[in-house]
Amino acid sequence: MLCSESFSPAEFWKNRWENEKGYVCAPLYMYKGNLRAIKALILKYNVILENKKVLDVGCAKGLYSEFYARQGNSVICCDISEWVVERMRGEGKKAALWDFSSEEGFPFGNQKYYLVHCMQTLVHVIDDEKFRVACINLGTRVEEGGYIILGDRFLPDRKINKIHIKYRNVIDYIMGMTKENAGIKFLGVELSFSLGGRVLLFRKGIK
């Protein structure tokens, strides 16, 4: 099914979460694979994750937020779904609505973070201009010397195969983050799961 001009991401995810009770945004094997890749990148590039400020964009059920919180970090959650945000708040987490592919203001003002995490989320930005804006928004939120972790399934040959998905390639993500944001450099990539799963690491303010 191809996307249409009437497609609304916010409405799609509102219905997806509310109408499919217990819906899991990604299979557990994806989460475990992504987590392995995140840990490998953190170790390889000596990312110090303790007593840091972390932003989890597209937090869904908060699995990655919990991982970062267990390391002793202060985690802020954002999602396009009000259902998700209310769930996070109900669990005592600081969360807010944010469509990071729009030009609307960030809900926490000018706050910047040591780590901006965005997993299995950019793939749902099907419009190319919104994808560009999303990359800018992510880059804007990271502090000097901080990191950005992006993870998705990369299957560019399939393009759009669902109303809410557009597959791109790793180069699209690298160019999107580095071309649109001054000072952001690509560090590395790790395989996370079969059929296209990859996690990418970027850093801001390095030469």
Side-chain angles (χ1 to χ4, degrees), residues 36-73:
R36 283 195 299 271
I38 290 169
K39 290 177 179 178
L41 288 168
I42 288 173
L43 180 63
K44 182 176 182 179
Y45 294 96
N46 194 32
V47 180
I48 307 301
L49 270 177
E50 185 178 357
N51 297 320
K52 302 295 186 181
K53 292 184 294 186
V54 176
L55 177 66
D56 186 0
V57 180
C59 62
K61 289 192 172 183
L63 295 176
Y64 299 104
S65 295
E66 292 174 3
F67 163 72
Y68 292 119
R70 287 195 300 269
Q71 315 307 310
N73 301 289

Side-chain angles (χ1 to χ4, degrees), residues 25 56-65 77-79 84-85 88 95 121:
C25 57
D56 186 0
V57 180
C59 62
K61 289 192 172 183
L63 295 176
Y64 299 104
S65 295
C77 303
C78 290
D79 202 277
V84 166
V85 170
M88 292 297 100
T121 302

Side-chain angles (χ1 to χ4, degrees), residues 1-16:
M1 183 186 299
L2 297 179
C3 68
S4 67
E5 294 182 358
S6 62
F7 173 68
S8 167
E11 192 65 22
F12 174 88
W13 287 107
K14 176 179 183 295
N15 293 333
R16 188 72 173 258

Side-chain angles (χ1 to χ4, degrees), residues 97-160:
L97 282 170
W98 188 37
D99 176 358
F100 77 121
S101 67
S102 78
E103 295 181 347
E104 295 181 6
F106 182 62
F108 296 106
N110 294 323
Q111 183 68 57
K112 295 183 184 296
Y113 300 84
Y114 175 78
L115 175 67
V116 174
H117 169 102
C118 186
M119 194 66 56
Q120 308 295 134
T121 302
L122 272 167
V123 71
H124 298 300
V125 181
I126 59 177
D127 180 86
D128 287 338
E129 174 59 20
K130 287 183 177 294
F131 179 83
R132 188 184 73 84
V133 171
C135 289
I136 293 172
N137 284 337
L138 292 173
T140 300
R141 300 274 56 89
V142 66
E143 65 187 31
E144 290 293 317
Y147 297 85
I148 301 172
I149 288 179
L150 303 179
D152 260 323
R153 169 175 279 171
F154 297 94
L155 299 173
D157 57 314
R158 295 173 65 179
K159 301 299 180 183
I160 300 174

